């Protein structure tokens, strides 16, 4: 998404996200969340956006430095990033 927007979507933070995405922007659960969380933590990400259904497991394996956020929609994911200084430039029109 960062490549599609001229704003500063992540505010320089290392962000990871996982989940399925529908054409309506809904985020769905995935498998392998334990392994994905460990990999994201090892890669040095500071924020991990996960489907609501996967939140408890991701939180369990996140460690103390990785902040995990449950999201159900793309809009929710963007709001999390905005809380940490991320910015989206709206298209003119």
């Amino acid at each position: 998404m960062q490549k599609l927007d001229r704003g500063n979507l992540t505010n320089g933070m290392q962000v990871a996200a996982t989940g399925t995405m529908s054409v309506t922007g809904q985020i769905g659960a995935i498998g392998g969340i334990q392994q994905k969380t460990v990999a994201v933590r090892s890669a040095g990400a500071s924020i991990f956006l996960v489907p609501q259904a996967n939140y408890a497991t991701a939180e369990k394996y996140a460690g103390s430095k990785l902040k995990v956020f449950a999201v159900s929609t793309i809009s929710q994911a963007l709001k999390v990033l905005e809380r940490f200084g991320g910015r989206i430039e709206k298209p003119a029109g």
Side-chain angles (χ1 to χ4, degrees), residues 3-93:
K3 301 263 186 223
L4 299 175
D5 183 74
R6 289 177 294 218
N8 188 358
L9 189 57
T10 64
N11 195 30
M13 295 179 297
Q14 199 168 16
V15 175
T18 192
T20 63
M21 182 175 65
S22 75
V23 296
T24 62
Q26 299 297 309
I27 305 298
I30 47 87
I33 192 65
Q34 176 182 344
Q35 295 85 352
K36 290 175 184 174
T37 304
V38 170
V40 165
R41 185 183 72 212
S42 296
S46 56
I47 293 177
F48 189 27
L49 306 173
V50 302
Q52 181 72 44
N54 297 116
Y55 175 78
T57 303
E59 183 70 15
K60 180 178 177 181
Y61 291 94
S64 60
K65 295 182 182 177
L66 180 61
K67 294 179 179 134
V68 179
F69 295 91
V71 295
S72 299
T73 65
I74 291 294
S75 294
Q76 285 180 342
L78 294 174
K79 286 179 185 175
V80 169
L81 296 177
E82 287 174 345
R83 281 186 14 210
F84 289 91
R87 206 177 70 256
I88 299 172
E89 287 186 22
K90 309 283 185 211

